[in-house]
Amino acid sequence: DVKVLLRSDQEVTLTLILLTPVERSPVESHATMGAMERANRTMGEMLRTMKHATETRVGGRLETDHLLISWMIRHCCWVFCRYHVRADGRTPYEVLRNNSYRGGLACFGEIVWARVPGSRLLRGKYEVNWLELVWLGKTENTEEHLCGDEHGGRKFRPIRRQPESAR
């Protein structure tokens, strides 16, 4: 039998969502939730850094309700799991999979070419088979790239990064 203990701060929302008993930490006792507080801090720092880098790349400000922000938060979590080195010298990904992550990435918000799935069969040999889209991250388990435009995001297997001067 595997026993799971969920610990929460004093926010009620978690206990409303879960049907499992939740141990609550004392009010204003951040040390009790030390590892989680540190992870939240790291995620916030990563999100601010990624937001600044994306704003610099696009030459404008991203407001909190911009469509890219929710994709950015998702991507920060993905990056944290694969690259954040814990006290034991391993990443969360290494703990789960027993090897380090070796997949290729593009920069968040970078314009890439993504090949339309089945494009050779459906569109024909002389039709455009690659779309110019914004790179939004990767899927959790299948190594597919998430790319999108103003119509939303989709999964693509092969992508190509544009030349450095066009990024």
Side-chain angles (χ1 to χ4, degrees):
D1 286 357
V2 176
K3 293 185 179 187
V4 175
L5 172 66
L6 299 175
R7 185 176 290 163
S8 169
D9 56 13
Q10 294 297 315
E11 292 184 34
V12 181
T13 22
L14 185 64
T15 56
L16 294 175
I17 295 170
L18 299 172
L19 301 175
T20 305
V22 176
E23 179 183 289
R24 292 199 173 174
S25 64
V27 177
E28 296 298 320
S29 176
H30 299 289
T32 308
M33 302 286 286
M36 277 311 302
E37 292 289 337
R38 181 63 185 126
N40 285 339
R41 178 179 162 193
T42 301
M43 291 297 295
E45 292 166 349
M46 189 185 314
L47 183 60
R48 284 188 294 277
T49 302
M50 195 174 293
K51 182 177 180 281
H52 176 71
T54 305
E55 288 173 340
T56 302
R57 189 177 309 106
V58 300
R61 183 160 164 67
L62 296 176
E63 298 300 328
T64 54
D65 61 346
H66 193 282
L67 290 174
L68 280 180
I69 297 295
S70 58
W71 286 102
M72 190 180 295
I73 293 168
R74 183 200 175 284
H75 184 58
C76 281
C77 295
W78 187 94
V79 169
F80 184 89
C81 287
R82 279 149 184 83
Y83 297 106
H84 178 74
V85 179
R86 303 167 356 143
D88 65 1
R90 299 185 307 163
T91 67
Y93 185 88
E94 288 174 299
V95 170
L96 289 173
R97 309 260 169 115
N98 289 325
N99 60 12
S100 59
Y101 183 73
R102 292 183 180 89
L105 302 175
C107 293
F108 181 84
E110 179 181 331
I111 303 299
V112 298
W113 291 302
R115 197 175 103 213
V116 179
S119 57
R120 289 185 183 151
L121 299 173
L122 300 173
R123 298 178 121 187
K125 201 176 204 179
Y126 301 107
E127 298 297 321
V128 175
N129 295 320
W130 295 80
L131 301 174
E132 196 171 69
L133 298 169
V134 177
W135 193 82
L136 302 169
K138 290 186 95 172
T139 58
E140 199 59 42
N141 295 316
T142 61
E143 278 298 295
E144 292 171 293
H145 297 269
L146 298 168
C147 302
D149 56 16
E150 65 275 3
H151 303 296
R154 296 189 329 210
K155 297 177 197 176
F156 294 89
R157 187 65 177 173
I159 67 154
R160 299 287 179 257
R161 294 181 79 183
Q162 296 190 356
E164 191 102 15
S165 59
R167 294 181 195 167

